[in-house]
Amino acid sequence: MKENILGIDVTPLDYGELISSIMKDIDQGRKAFIVAINPEKIMKAQKDPDLKKLLNRATYQIPDGIGVIIASKLKGGNIRSRVTGIDLMMKLCQKASQNNKSVFLYGAKPEVVEEARNRLIKQFPGLRVAGVIHGYENDQEKILSTINLAKPDILFVGLGSPRQEYWILENMDKLNVHIFQGVGGSFDVISGNLKRAPEALQKIGLEWFYRLIKEPWRWRRQLVLVSFLYRVLLKRA
Ligand code: UDP
């Protein structure tokens, strides 16, 4: 049963449960769409019914932001640990390399997505990367036909949010792909162009703080956490 936070569904599965469910989707020929949920997206969706519908149409809404965990706790829910988009992507790549499934990377700058591919193959020997396309390609027909020729099991889309989610929903039916995951700026991290917070900070729930220091222009986006938690509390009262 999914948990509902301010109108948005969140999947209460951990990494292991998600990976086995996703592998089952592939083996049984089902299509699935994974979206990362954080307070910023939930708040945006309050004012944007299309975005709300879109987020709720995903197969798996992973609890990516620490704010989602706090909200679940406040509401008496069961979600206790984050499932981040990038960590789920890495685990899916590992599983794919062990099970002979293929992946495709679409998004980010040309040199970034190339480097992300190289590093993934280095980290997971045997990983089949069926192809990559950078995120500044404008020819939609070319994008769709390239992916369809490659027939990947899993497509990671890193165009930023909510653009990547709209793109996935619009094109899911046209693509010869089982699993679609929106991964935001993950290719930038995997390629080594953007550093993630040290693990110790991630563990104590302060990854957002590290990002604030590294990318201070994002402060406005982070401020939303405060009004988000306030709304969750108000709803509970
Ligand atoms: N991007 C892209 N095409 C565009 C605009 C952005 O491929 O037209 C990529 C950009 O290079 C970066 C990612 O989308 O890799 C956006 O990352 P961000 O961390 O902003 O994602 P968000 O936080 O919005 O999920």
Side-chain angles (χ1 to χ4, degrees):
M1 254 283 276
K2 290 185 180 178
E3 278 182 30
N4 193 279
I5 298 176
L6 299 180
I8 304 300
D9 284 339
V10 184
T11 307
L13 303 179
D14 63 19
Y15 287 110
E17 294 163 334
L18 274 165
I19 300 275
S20 32
S21 185
I22 290 165
M23 285 296 141
K24 221 183 272 163
D25 291 332
I26 297 180
D27 290 336
Q28 298 177 356
R30 273 194 301 268
K31 289 196 182 211
F33 166 20
I34 306 161
V35 66
I37 300 293
N38 56 35
E40 190 188 353
K41 282 186 201 168
I42 296 181
M43 288 305 274
K44 237 191 210 167
Q46 303 301 304
K47 293 184 227 130
D48 181 346
D50 286 340
L51 180 63
K52 183 171 174 180
K53 219 159 66 196
L54 169 78
L55 297 177
N56 283 335
R57 278 187 64 182
T59 322
Y60 305 101
Q61 292 90 350
I62 57 173
D64 184 310
I66 186 73
V68 179
I69 311 301
I70 300 173
S72 173
K73 234 183 228 174
L74 288 175
K75 283 168 50 74
N78 296 314
I79 301 171
R80 283 293 169 272
S81 49
R82 287 175 73 196
V83 172
T84 67
I86 187 165
D87 286 334
L88 182 62
M89 175 184 166
M90 296 308 270
K91 286 176 200 289
L92 282 172
C93 285
Q94 180 177 33
K95 192 78 179 174
S97 71
Q98 296 161 344
N99 290 267
N100 199 30
K101 306 292 184 209
S102 60
V103 304
F104 195 108
L105 316 181
Y106 167 41
K109 295 190 183 126
E111 64 280 9
V112 169
V113 72
E114 287 292 339
E115 184 61 17
R117 180 227 317 252
N118 296 342
R119 295 216 182 177
L120 282 173
I121 292 172
K122 218 173 181 180
Q123 188 167 352
F124 305 113
L127 176 66
R128 283 167 49 210
V129 181
V132 305
I133 302 176
H134 67 75
Y136 299 84
E137 171 61 61
N138 285 323
D139 186 344
Q140 278 300 312
E141 283 310 311
K142 183 173 156 197
I143 295 170
L144 297 184
S145 62
T146 306
I147 298 172
N148 270 335
L149 258 162
K151 289 197 194 68
D153 293 297
I154 306 172
L155 174 63
F156 298 111
V157 185
L159 298 175
S161 219
R163 196 166 151 215
Q164 64 199 17
E165 282 83 19
Y166 280 110
W167 186 90
I168 291 174
L169 207 65
E170 194 183 320
N171 295 295
M172 248 177 114
D173 290 341
K174 300 178 209 155
L175 287 168
N176 237 325
V177 172
H178 292 300
I179 310 298
F180 300 79
Q181 183 186 355
V183 294
S186 296
F187 302 151
D188 296 276
V189 176
I190 295 167
S191 66
N193 283 300
L194 196 70
K195 290 243 176 317
R196 258 189 108 184
E199 234 170 85
L201 276 189
Q202 291 182 38
K203 279 214 175 103
I204 56 172
L206 286 181
E207 186 163 18
W208 61 271
F209 179 68
Y210 181 87
R211 279 198 96 169
L212 182 62
I213 305 291
K214 284 281 184 184
E215 304 170 78
W217 56 91
R218 296 175 78 104
W219 70 272
R220 249 176 216 288
R221 293 176 59 169
Q222 294 195 335
L223 208 59
V224 84
L225 179 64
V226 180
S227 39
F228 167 73
L229 289 177
Y230 182 67
R231 290 253 317 233
V232 172
L233 276 173
L234 266 189
K235 259 234 158 139
R236 204 181 59 142

